[in-house]
Amino acid sequence: MPIKKGTKSQHDHNNSLLNSKRPKFREYYMEKIHVDKLREDSVPFVELEEKELKKVMTQIKANAQKEFYKELKILGISILITAVILIYLNDYLNQLF
């Protein structure tokens, strides 16, 4: 009858993942760990003039305000629906008893 080593092997596997057990160096010794050049896939930033920057900022604020009022309306509607359901259930339960 074979002996199950599931829990012990999982324990050994978890121990091997500890920071003290991980390799400290890269396998290919010529590869640099830290590189001082910019990444090629990064997002390029466009410099804007002060006038355009203010226009973008006001547009962002307007969109945020619209989103806030939209969420506020949804909250109000959900509170109203909850109150109506609770009133209906209260009347229904009062009629039963």
Side-chain angles (χ1 to χ4, degrees):
M1 186 171 209
I3 299 172
K4 289 187 177 181
K5 291 187 176 181
T7 56
K8 183 168 172 113
S9 64
Q10 183 67 37
H11 178 71
D12 292 340
H13 175 70
N14 289 342
N15 278 342
S16 70
L17 294 177
L18 292 174
N19 287 334
S20 60
K21 303 278 182 162
R22 289 186 182 166
K24 304 289 190 286
F25 305 100
R26 296 192 183 239
E27 292 180 15
Y28 182 60
Y29 67 92
M30 296 296 287
E31 184 180 351
K32 294 181 180 179
I33 295 175
H34 301 290
V35 180
D36 290 335
K37 66 178 183 177
L38 292 175
R39 291 175 52 178
E40 300 291 327
D41 61 345
S42 63
V43 178
F45 287 101
V46 180
E47 295 205 16
L48 297 175
E49 295 178 9
E50 191 70 28
K51 192 175 188 179
E52 292 179 30
L53 185 63
K54 287 183 180 180
K55 182 179 175 183
V56 169
M57 291 292 286
T58 55
Q59 186 178 11
I60 290 172
K61 287 179 184 178
N63 288 341
Q65 192 173 20
K66 285 180 189 177
E67 187 70 26
F68 175 73
Y69 285 131
K70 181 180 174 183
E71 291 176 0
L72 198 61
K73 287 178 187 177
I74 291 172
L75 178 68
I77 290 171
S78 63
I79 289 174
L80 181 68
I81 290 172
T82 305
V84 168
I85 290 173
L86 287 176
I87 290 171
Y88 173 75
L89 286 176
N90 189 17
D91 289 341
Y92 180 73
L93 291 175
N94 284 338
Q95 289 175 0
L96 284 178
F97 299 111

